[in-house]
Amino acid sequence: MKQPRILTFKNPATGQEFGQVAMSTPDEITLAHKEMRQAFQIWRRKPLSERIRILRQFQAEIIDSMDEISAVINQDTGKSRQDGWVEVNMTVDRLHQYYKLAPKWLERRRVPPGLYMFKQYYTEPHPFGVVAVIGPWNYPFDLCVPPMCSALLAGNTVLLKPSEVAPAVGVMIERLIQRVPELAPFVRVLHGDGAVGAQIVKSKPDLIFLTGSTATGRKIAQ
């Protein structure tokens, strides 16, 4: 039996190893995409008010776990506990703004009819489907969680790949998601390096949200 590839958690400030996680395999990525494709048909039909209600539970879990999250950020990135705490608060504030403004952003809007003055025209946003979010190492919590939640708010399901340079934060995010049973079926966290990211792209999600280098962005665009 082939052994799974492993990501080791290492504190860059001290060099100390403090854990590990198995990288997602190609079969696991294919299955995750299939599950999120099926789950999308359920999630997209939930009223926006219901999606906001569920995501507020996730936000509350973040607030309740702030010390735990900032400690993981401290270990995984070498940032101070204060910097980790600030990053978590940035995330909480961003989510508050998203949930507050989502009804306005996603509402059906009437648009000018031009010369067809006796007709009425509207524009209405629709979800893409399965959204892949690929996060960076420098703000591994704040640049993963808000993009994930914004995609969910709009009715999409999510494949999330945290940075392999901050894998313990990725595991922490997955743990937080699992603590909200109404949310967990609509997100899959896929751990791993660039090869895992490439496999996610190869699975052809409907939209890819990347925070990363220009070189990586160009490869994904191709």
Short mmCIF file of all heavy atoms in Angstrom, two decimals, residues 92-148:
data_model
loop_
_atom_site.label_atom_id
_atom_site.label_comp_id
_atom_site.label_asym_id
_atom_site.label_seq_id
_atom_site.Cartn_x
_atom_site.Cartn_y
_atom_site.Cartn_z
N VAL A 92 -12.86 38.22 11.52
CA VAL A 92 -14.18 38.37 12.13
C VAL A 92 -14.87 39.64 11.62
O VAL A 92 -16.06 39.64 11.28
CB VAL A 92 -14.07 38.39 13.67
CG1 VAL A 92 -15.40 38.81 14.31
CG2 VAL A 92 -13.65 37.03 14.20
N ASP A 93 -14.12 40.74 11.55
CA ASP A 93 -14.69 41.99 11.08
C ASP A 93 -15.08 41.90 9.61
O ASP A 93 -16.15 42.39 9.21
CB ASP A 93 -13.67 43.12 11.27
CG ASP A 93 -14.23 44.47 10.84
OD1 ASP A 93 -15.22 44.93 11.46
OD2 ASP A 93 -13.71 45.07 9.87
N ARG A 94 -14.25 41.25 8.81
CA ARG A 94 -14.56 41.11 7.39
C ARG A 94 -15.84 40.28 7.20
O ARG A 94 -16.70 40.62 6.39
CB ARG A 94 -13.38 40.44 6.67
CG ARG A 94 -13.28 40.79 5.19
CD ARG A 94 -12.14 40.05 4.52
NE ARG A 94 -10.87 40.22 5.16
CZ ARG A 94 -10.05 41.26 4.99
NH1 ARG A 94 -10.43 42.25 4.20
NH2 ARG A 94 -8.88 41.32 5.59
N LEU A 95 -15.96 39.20 7.96
CA LEU A 95 -17.16 38.37 7.85
C LEU A 95 -18.40 39.14 8.27
O LEU A 95 -19.46 39.01 7.65
CB LEU A 95 -17.01 37.11 8.72
CG LEU A 95 -15.90 36.13 8.30
CD1 LEU A 95 -15.93 34.90 9.19
CD2 LEU A 95 -16.00 35.75 6.84
N HIS A 96 -18.27 39.97 9.31
CA HIS A 96 -19.40 40.80 9.75
C HIS A 96 -19.89 41.69 8.60
O HIS A 96 -21.10 41.82 8.36
CB HIS A 96 -19.00 41.65 10.95
CG HIS A 96 -20.05 42.64 11.36
ND1 HIS A 96 -21.24 42.26 11.98
CD2 HIS A 96 -20.12 43.99 11.21
CE1 HIS A 96 -21.97 43.33 12.19
NE2 HIS A 96 -21.33 44.40 11.75
N GLN A 97 -18.94 42.30 7.89
CA GLN A 97 -19.31 43.17 6.77
C GLN A 97 -19.96 42.36 5.65
O GLN A 97 -20.94 42.82 5.04
CB GLN A 97 -18.07 43.91 6.25
CG GLN A 97 -17.44 44.86 7.25
CD GLN A 97 -18.39 45.96 7.69
OE1 GLN A 97 -19.16 46.49 6.89
NE2 GLN A 97 -18.35 46.30 8.98
N TYR A 98 -19.43 41.19 5.36
CA TYR A 98 -20.00 40.35 4.30
C TYR A 98 -21.45 39.99 4.62
O TYR A 98 -22.33 40.10 3.76
CB TYR A 98 -19.19 39.06 4.15
CG TYR A 98 -17.83 39.20 3.51
CD1 TYR A 98 -16.99 38.09 3.37
CD2 TYR A 98 -17.37 40.42 3.04
CE1 TYR A 98 -15.75 38.21 2.78
CE2 TYR A 98 -16.12 40.55 2.46
CZ TYR A 98 -15.31 39.43 2.32
OH TYR A 98 -14.07 39.53 1.75
N TYR A 99 -21.69 39.54 5.86
CA TYR A 99 -23.03 39.08 6.21
C TYR A 99 -24.01 40.25 6.23
O TYR A 99 -25.19 40.09 5.88
CB TYR A 99 -23.01 38.39 7.57
CG TYR A 99 -22.05 37.22 7.66
CD1 TYR A 99 -21.57 36.77 8.88
CD2 TYR A 99 -21.60 36.56 6.51
CE1 TYR A 99 -20.70 35.69 8.97
CE2 TYR A 99 -20.72 35.50 6.59
CZ TYR A 99 -20.27 35.07 7.82
OH TYR A 99 -19.39 34.01 7.90
N LYS A 100 -23.53 41.42 6.63
CA LYS A 100 -24.38 42.61 6.67
C LYS A 100 -24.76 43.08 5.27
O LYS A 100 -25.90 43.48 5.02
CB LYS A 100 -23.64 43.72 7.42
CG LYS A 100 -24.40 45.03 7.51
CD LYS A 100 -23.57 46.09 8.24
CE LYS A 100 -24.28 47.44 8.27
NZ LYS A 100 -23.44 48.47 8.96
N LEU A 101 -23.81 43.03 4.34
CA LEU A 101 -24.02 43.61 3.01
C LEU A 101 -24.47 42.60 1.96
O LEU A 101 -24.88 43.01 0.87
CB LEU A 101 -22.73 44.30 2.55
CG LEU A 101 -22.29 45.51 3.39
CD1 LEU A 101 -20.90 45.98 2.97
CD2 LEU A 101 -23.29 46.64 3.27
N ALA A 102 -24.39 41.32 2.25
CA ALA A 102 -24.74 40.30 1.25
C ALA A 102 -26.14 40.48 0.67
O ALA A 102 -26.32 40.35 -0.55
CB ALA A 102 -24.59 38.90 1.86
N PRO A 103 -27.17 40.81 1.48
CA PRO A 103 -28.50 40.99 0.88
C PRO A 103 -28.53 42.09 -0.19
O PRO A 103 -29.25 41.96 -1.19
CB PRO A 103 -29.38 41.36 2.08
CG PRO A 103 -28.70 40.71 3.25
CD PRO A 103 -27.24 40.86 2.96
N LYS A 104 -27.75 43.14 0.02
CA LYS A 104 -27.68 44.21 -0.97
C LYS A 104 -26.89 43.76 -2.19
O LYS A 104 -27.27 44.02 -3.34
CB LYS A 104 -27.04 45.45 -0.35
CG LYS A 104 -26.92 46.63 -1.30
CD LYS A 104 -26.29 47.85 -0.62
CE LYS A 104 -26.15 49.00 -1.60
NZ LYS A 104 -25.52 50.18 -0.94
N TRP A 105 -25.75 43.10 -1.96
CA TRP A 105 -24.89 42.68 -3.07
C TRP A 105 -25.58 41.66 -3.97
O TRP A 105 -25.35 41.63 -5.18
CB TRP A 105 -23.60 42.07 -2.53
CG TRP A 105 -22.68 43.05 -1.88
CD1 TRP A 105 -22.65 44.40 -2.04
CD2 TRP A 105 -21.62 42.75 -0.95
NE1 TRP A 105 -21.66 44.97 -1.28
CE2 TRP A 105 -21.01 43.98 -0.61
CE3 TRP A 105 -21.14 41.58 -0.38
CZ2 TRP A 105 -19.93 44.05 0.28
CZ3 TRP A 105 -20.08 41.65 0.50
CH2 TRP A 105 -19.48 42.87 0.82
N LEU A 106 -26.42 40.81 -3.38
CA LEU A 106 -26.97 39.68 -4.12
C LEU A 106 -28.43 39.87 -4.52
O LEU A 106 -29.06 38.95 -5.03
CB LEU A 106 -26.85 38.40 -3.27
CG LEU A 106 -25.41 37.98 -2.93
CD1 LEU A 106 -25.41 36.82 -1.94
CD2 LEU A 106 -24.63 37.61 -4.18
N GLU A 107 -28.95 41.08 -4.33
CA GLU A 107 -30.36 41.30 -4.64
C GLU A 107 -30.61 41.38 -6.14
O GLU A 107 -29.72 41.71 -6.93
CB GLU A 107 -30.85 42.59 -3.97
CG GLU A 107 -30.27 43.85 -4.56
CD GLU A 107 -30.74 45.10 -3.82
OE1 GLU A 107 -31.61 44.97 -2.94
OE2 GLU A 107 -30.25 46.19 -4.14
N ARG A 108 -31.84 41.10 -6.52
CA ARG A 108 -32.29 41.26 -7.90
C ARG A 108 -32.49 42.76 -8.16
O ARG A 108 -33.12 43.45 -7.37
CB ARG A 108 -33.61 40.52 -8.09
CG ARG A 108 -34.14 40.49 -9.50
CD ARG A 108 -35.40 39.63 -9.52
NE ARG A 108 -35.91 39.43 -10.87
CZ ARG A 108 -37.12 39.75 -11.27
NH1 ARG A 108 -37.98 40.32 -10.43
NH2 ARG A 108 -37.52 39.51 -12.51
N ARG A 109 -31.93 43.25 -9.27
CA ARG A 109 -31.98 44.70 -9.53
C ARG A 109 -32.60 44.98 -10.89
O ARG A 109 -32.31 44.31 -11.88
CB ARG A 109 -30.57 45.29 -9.48
CG ARG A 109 -29.89 45.17 -8.14
CD ARG A 109 -28.51 45.76 -8.15
NE ARG A 109 -27.82 45.58 -6.87
CZ ARG A 109 -26.58 45.97 -6.62
NH1 ARG A 109 -25.88 46.56 -7.57
NH2 ARG A 109 -26.05 45.75 -5.44
N ARG A 110 -33.40 46.01 -10.89
CA ARG A 110 -33.97 46.46 -12.16
C ARG A 110 -32.95 47.33 -12.88
O ARG A 110 -32.22 48.12 -12.25
CB ARG A 110 -35.25 47.26 -11.89
CG ARG A 110 -36.02 47.59 -13.16
CD ARG A 110 -37.37 48.20 -12.82
NE ARG A 110 -38.07 48.60 -14.03
CZ ARG A 110 -39.27 49.15 -14.04
NH1 ARG A 110 -39.92 49.35 -12.89
NH2 ARG A 110 -39.85 49.49 -15.18
N VAL A 111 -32.84 47.16 -14.19
CA VAL A 111 -31.88 47.94 -14.98
C VAL A 111 -32.64 48.75 -16.04
O VAL A 111 -33.77 48.38 -16.44
CB VAL A 111 -30.85 47.02 -15.66
CG1 VAL A 111 -29.98 46.34 -14.62
CG2 VAL A 111 -31.52 45.96 -16.54
N PRO A 112 -32.08 49.86 -16.48
CA PRO A 112 -32.78 50.72 -17.46
C PRO A 112 -33.11 49.96 -18.75
O PRO A 112 -32.27 49.20 -19.26
CB PRO A 112 -31.77 51.83 -17.73
CG PRO A 112 -30.90 51.86 -16.51
CD PRO A 112 -30.79 50.43 -16.06
N PRO A 113 -34.30 50.16 -19.31
CA PRO A 113 -34.70 49.42 -20.50
C PRO A 113 -34.21 50.03 -21.81
O PRO A 113 -34.41 49.45 -22.88
CB PRO A 113 -36.23 49.48 -20.43
CG PRO A 113 -36.50 50.78 -19.75
CD PRO A 113 -35.39 50.97 -18.75
N GLY A 114 -33.59 51.20 -21.74
CA GLY A 114 -33.16 51.84 -22.98
C GLY A 114 -34.36 52.23 -23.83
O GLY A 114 -35.35 52.76 -23.32
N LEU A 115 -34.28 51.92 -25.10
CA LEU A 115 -35.38 52.27 -26.00
C LEU A 115 -36.61 51.38 -25.79
O LEU A 115 -37.71 51.73 -26.23
CB LEU A 115 -34.92 52.17 -27.45
CG LEU A 115 -33.85 53.20 -27.86
CD1 LEU A 115 -33.39 52.95 -29.29
CD2 LEU A 115 -34.40 54.63 -27.74
N TYR A 116 -36.42 50.23 -25.11
CA TYR A 116 -37.56 49.34 -24.86
C TYR A 116 -38.29 49.79 -23.59
O TYR A 116 -38.37 49.08 -22.59
CB TYR A 116 -37.08 47.89 -24.73
CG TYR A 116 -36.56 47.32 -26.03
CD1 TYR A 116 -35.22 47.45 -26.37
CD2 TYR A 116 -37.42 46.68 -26.91
CE1 TYR A 116 -34.74 46.93 -27.57
CE2 TYR A 116 -36.96 46.15 -28.11
CZ TYR A 116 -35.61 46.29 -28.44
OH TYR A 116 -35.16 45.78 -29.63
N MET A 117 -38.83 51.00 -23.65
CA MET A 117 -39.36 51.65 -22.45
C MET A 117 -40.63 51.00 -21.91
O MET A 117 -41.02 51.25 -20.78
CB MET A 117 -39.62 53.13 -22.75
CG MET A 117 -40.62 53.38 -23.86
SD MET A 117 -40.67 55.13 -24.34
CE MET A 117 -39.09 55.30 -25.19
N PHE A 118 -41.27 50.13 -22.70
CA PHE A 118 -42.48 49.49 -22.23
C PHE A 118 -42.20 48.08 -21.67
O PHE A 118 -43.13 47.33 -21.39
CB PHE A 118 -43.52 49.41 -23.36
CG PHE A 118 -43.89 50.78 -23.89
CD1 PHE A 118 -43.49 51.19 -25.15
CD2 PHE A 118 -44.62 51.66 -23.09
CE1 PHE A 118 -43.82 52.46 -25.62
CE2 PHE A 118 -44.96 52.92 -23.57
CZ PHE A 118 -44.55 53.32 -24.83
N LYS A 119 -40.90 47.76 -21.54
CA LYS A 119 -40.53 46.47 -20.97
C LYS A 119 -39.71 46.70 -19.70
O LYS A 119 -39.17 47.78 -19.48
CB LYS A 119 -39.70 45.65 -21.97
CG LYS A 119 -40.49 45.25 -23.22
CD LYS A 119 -39.67 44.35 -24.11
CE LYS A 119 -40.48 43.89 -25.32
NZ LYS A 119 -39.72 42.97 -26.19
N GLN A 120 -39.63 45.66 -18.89
CA GLN A 120 -38.85 45.73 -17.66
C GLN A 120 -37.71 44.71 -17.72
O GLN A 120 -37.91 43.57 -18.15
CB GLN A 120 -39.73 45.46 -16.43
CG GLN A 120 -40.79 46.52 -16.20
CD GLN A 120 -41.60 46.25 -14.94
OE1 GLN A 120 -41.44 45.23 -14.29
NE2 GLN A 120 -42.50 47.18 -14.62
N TYR A 121 -36.53 45.15 -17.29
CA TYR A 121 -35.35 44.29 -17.32
C TYR A 121 -34.71 44.23 -15.94
O TYR A 121 -34.71 45.22 -15.21
CB TYR A 121 -34.32 44.82 -18.34
CG TYR A 121 -34.81 44.75 -19.77
CD1 TYR A 121 -35.54 45.81 -20.33
CD2 TYR A 121 -34.55 43.64 -20.54
CE1 TYR A 121 -36.00 45.74 -21.63
CE2 TYR A 121 -35.00 43.56 -21.86
CZ TYR A 121 -35.72 44.62 -22.40
OH TYR A 121 -36.17 44.55 -23.69
N TYR A 122 -34.18 43.05 -15.62
CA TYR A 122 -33.57 42.84 -14.31
C TYR A 122 -32.25 42.08 -14.47
O TYR A 122 -32.05 41.34 -15.45
CB TYR A 122 -34.49 42.02 -13.40
CG TYR A 122 -35.80 42.69 -13.11
CD1 TYR A 122 -36.90 42.54 -13.95
CD2 TYR A 122 -35.96 43.50 -11.98
CE1 TYR A 122 -38.11 43.16 -13.69
CE2 TYR A 122 -37.17 44.13 -11.71
CZ TYR A 122 -38.23 43.96 -12.57
OH TYR A 122 -39.43 44.59 -12.31
N THR A 123 -31.37 42.32 -13.52
CA THR A 123 -30.16 41.50 -13.43
C THR A 123 -30.18 40.79 -12.08
O THR A 123 -30.55 41.39 -11.05
CB THR A 123 -28.88 42.36 -13.57
OG1 THR A 123 -27.74 41.51 -13.41
CG2 THR A 123 -28.81 43.45 -12.51
N GLU A 124 -29.83 39.53 -12.08
CA GLU A 124 -29.88 38.73 -10.86
C GLU A 124 -28.64 37.83 -10.80
O GLU A 124 -28.40 37.05 -11.74
CB GLU A 124 -31.15 37.89 -10.83
CG GLU A 124 -31.34 37.13 -9.54
CD GLU A 124 -32.69 36.41 -9.50
OE1 GLU A 124 -33.44 36.47 -10.51
OE2 GLU A 124 -32.99 35.80 -8.48
N PRO A 125 -27.83 37.93 -9.73
CA PRO A 125 -26.62 37.09 -9.65
C PRO A 125 -26.96 35.63 -9.37
O PRO A 125 -27.91 35.33 -8.65
CB PRO A 125 -25.84 37.71 -8.49
CG PRO A 125 -26.87 38.37 -7.64
CD PRO A 125 -27.94 38.83 -8.58
N HIS A 126 -26.19 34.74 -9.96
CA HIS A 126 -26.33 33.31 -9.74
C HIS A 126 -24.98 32.74 -9.33
O HIS A 126 -23.94 33.21 -9.78
CB HIS A 126 -26.84 32.60 -11.00
CG HIS A 126 -28.25 32.93 -11.34
ND1 HIS A 126 -29.32 32.19 -10.91
CD2 HIS A 126 -28.77 33.95 -12.07
CE1 HIS A 126 -30.45 32.73 -11.35
NE2 HIS A 126 -30.14 33.79 -12.06
N PRO A 127 -24.95 31.70 -8.49
CA PRO A 127 -23.67 31.11 -8.08
C PRO A 127 -22.97 30.40 -9.24
O PRO A 127 -23.62 29.96 -10.19
CB PRO A 127 -24.08 30.11 -6.99
CG PRO A 127 -25.52 29.81 -7.27
CD PRO A 127 -26.10 31.05 -7.84
N PHE A 128 -21.65 30.31 -9.12
CA PHE A 128 -20.86 29.63 -10.16
C PHE A 128 -21.04 28.12 -10.07
O PHE A 128 -21.17 27.44 -11.07
CB PHE A 128 -19.37 29.96 -9.99
CG PHE A 128 -19.01 31.35 -10.44
CD1 PHE A 128 -18.96 32.39 -9.53
CD2 PHE A 128 -18.72 31.62 -11.77
CE1 PHE A 128 -18.63 33.67 -9.94
CE2 PHE A 128 -18.38 32.89 -12.19
CZ PHE A 128 -18.34 33.93 -11.27
N GLY A 129 -20.97 27.58 -8.83
CA GLY A 129 -21.02 26.13 -8.65
C GLY A 129 -20.02 25.71 -7.58
O GLY A 129 -20.19 26.01 -6.41
N VAL A 130 -18.95 25.04 -8.02
CA VAL A 130 -17.88 24.64 -7.11
C VAL A 130 -16.74 25.65 -7.24
O VAL A 130 -16.19 25.83 -8.34
CB VAL A 130 -17.36 23.22 -7.43
CG1 VAL A 130 -16.22 22.84 -6.48
CG2 VAL A 130 -18.50 22.21 -7.33
N VAL A 131 -16.39 26.31 -6.15
CA VAL A 131 -15.33 27.31 -6.14
C VAL A 131 -14.11 26.76 -5.40
O VAL A 131 -14.24 26.25 -4.28
CB VAL A 131 -15.81 28.61 -5.47
CG1 VAL A 131 -14.64 29.59 -5.30
CG2 VAL A 131 -16.92 29.25 -6.28
N ALA A 132 -12.95 26.84 -6.03
CA ALA A 132 -11.69 26.46 -5.37
C ALA A 132 -11.04 27.71 -4.80
O ALA A 132 -10.89 28.71 -5.50
CB ALA A 132 -10.76 25.78 -6.37
N VAL A 133 -10.68 27.66 -3.53
CA VAL A 133 -9.97 28.76 -2.88
C VAL A 133 -8.59 28.26 -2.51
O VAL A 133 -8.44 27.30 -1.75
CB VAL A 133 -10.72 29.23 -1.61
CG1 VAL A 133 -9.90 30.30 -0.89
CG2 VAL A 133 -12.10 29.77 -1.98
N ILE A 134 -7.56 28.90 -3.07
CA ILE A 134 -6.17 28.52 -2.81
C ILE A 134 -5.52 29.65 -2.02
O ILE A 134 -5.38 30.76 -2.51
CB ILE A 134 -5.41 28.25 -4.13
CG1 ILE A 134 -6.11 27.11 -4.89
CG2 ILE A 134 -3.95 27.90 -3.85
CD1 ILE A 134 -5.51 26.84 -6.27
N GLY A 135 -5.15 29.35 -0.78
CA GLY A 135 -4.68 30.38 0.14
C GLY A 135 -3.17 30.50 0.22
O GLY A 135 -2.43 29.59 -0.18
N PRO A 136 -2.68 31.61 0.78
CA PRO A 136 -1.25 31.88 0.90
C PRO A 136 -0.74 31.59 2.32
O PRO A 136 -1.50 31.25 3.22
CB PRO A 136 -1.18 33.38 0.61
CG PRO A 136 -2.43 33.90 1.28
CD PRO A 136 -3.48 32.82 1.15
N TRP A 137 0.56 31.81 2.49
CA TRP A 137 1.19 31.53 3.78
C TRP A 137 1.24 32.74 4.71
O TRP A 137 1.33 32.59 5.93
CB TRP A 137 2.63 31.05 3.55
CG TRP A 137 3.49 32.09 2.84
CD1 TRP A 137 3.67 32.19 1.48
CD2 TRP A 137 4.23 33.15 3.42
NE1 TRP A 137 4.46 33.27 1.18
CE2 TRP A 137 4.84 33.88 2.36
CE3 TRP A 137 4.45 33.59 4.73
CZ2 TRP A 137 5.64 35.00 2.58
CZ3 TRP A 137 5.25 34.71 4.94
CH2 TRP A 137 5.84 35.39 3.87
N ASN A 138 1.20 33.97 4.16
CA ASN A 138 1.52 35.14 5.00
C ASN A 138 0.38 35.55 5.93
O ASN A 138 0.61 35.98 7.05
CB ASN A 138 1.97 36.31 4.12
CG ASN A 138 0.99 36.66 3.03
OD1 ASN A 138 0.13 35.86 2.66
ND2 ASN A 138 1.11 37.85 2.47
N TYR A 139 -0.86 35.43 5.45
CA TYR A 139 -2.04 35.60 6.31
C TYR A 139 -2.90 34.36 6.09
O TYR A 139 -3.94 34.42 5.44
CB TYR A 139 -2.80 36.88 5.97
CG TYR A 139 -2.11 38.13 6.47
CD1 TYR A 139 -1.16 38.79 5.69
CD2 TYR A 139 -2.40 38.63 7.74
CE1 TYR A 139 -0.52 39.93 6.17
CE2 TYR A 139 -1.76 39.77 8.21
CZ TYR A 139 -0.83 40.41 7.42
OH TYR A 139 -0.19 41.53 7.90
N PRO A 140 -2.47 33.23 6.62
CA PRO A 140 -3.08 31.95 6.24
C PRO A 140 -4.51 31.77 6.72
O PRO A 140 -5.24 30.94 6.18
CB PRO A 140 -2.16 30.92 6.90
CG PRO A 140 -1.53 31.64 8.06
CD PRO A 140 -1.37 33.07 7.59
N PHE A 141 -4.93 32.55 7.72
CA PHE A 141 -6.31 32.47 8.20
C PHE A 141 -7.18 33.50 7.47
O PHE A 141 -8.20 33.17 6.88
CB PHE A 141 -6.37 32.69 9.72
CG PHE A 141 -7.67 32.29 10.33
CD1 PHE A 141 -7.94 30.96 10.61
CD2 PHE A 141 -8.64 33.23 10.64
CE1 PHE A 141 -9.15 30.57 11.18
CE2 PHE A 141 -9.85 32.87 11.21
CZ PHE A 141 -10.10 31.53 11.48
N ASP A 142 -6.75 34.74 7.49
CA ASP A 142 -7.57 35.82 6.93
C ASP A 142 -7.70 35.75 5.42
O ASP A 142 -8.68 36.24 4.85
CB ASP A 142 -6.97 37.19 7.33
CG ASP A 142 -7.84 38.35 6.87
OD1 ASP A 142 -9.04 38.36 7.20
OD2 ASP A 142 -7.32 39.23 6.16
N LEU A 143 -6.74 35.15 4.73
CA LEU A 143 -6.82 35.07 3.28
C LEU A 143 -7.34 33.72 2.79
O LEU A 143 -7.32 33.44 1.60
CB LEU A 143 -5.45 35.39 2.65
CG LEU A 143 -5.00 36.85 2.84
CD1 LEU A 143 -3.62 37.07 2.23
CD2 LEU A 143 -6.00 37.83 2.22
N CYS A 144 -7.83 32.91 3.74
CA CYS A 144 -8.55 31.67 3.39
C CYS A 144 -10.02 31.75 3.78
O CYS A 144 -10.90 31.43 2.98
CB CYS A 144 -7.91 30.46 4.09
SG CYS A 144 -6.51 29.73 3.22
N VAL A 145 -10.29 32.17 5.01
CA VAL A 145 -11.65 32.10 5.54
C VAL A 145 -12.61 33.08 4.86
O VAL A 145 -13.70 32.68 4.41
CB VAL A 145 -11.65 32.28 7.07
CG1 VAL A 145 -13.07 32.41 7.61
CG2 VAL A 145 -10.95 31.09 7.73
N PRO A 146 -12.31 34.38 4.74
CA PRO A 146 -13.25 35.28 4.06
C PRO A 146 -13.55 34.91 2.61
O PRO A 146 -14.73 34.95 2.21
CB PRO A 146 -12.59 36.66 4.19
CG PRO A 146 -11.81 36.55 5.47
CD PRO A 146 -11.25 35.16 5.43
N PRO A 147 -12.54 34.54 1.78
CA PRO A 147 -12.90 34.11 0.42
C PRO A 147 -13.81 32.89 0.42
O PRO A 147 -14.74 32.80 -0.39
CB PRO A 147 -11.54 33.79 -0.22
CG PRO A 147 -10.55 34.59 0.55
CD PRO A 147 -11.07 34.62 1.95
N MET A 148 -13.54 31.94 1.32
CA MET A 148 -14.39 30.76 1.43
C MET A 148 -15.83 31.17 1.78
O MET A 148 -16.79 30.70 1.16
CB MET A 148 -13.83 29.83 2.51
CG MET A 148 -14.67 28.59 2.78
SD MET A 148 -14.11 27.70 4.25
CE MET A 148 -14.92 28.66 5.56
#
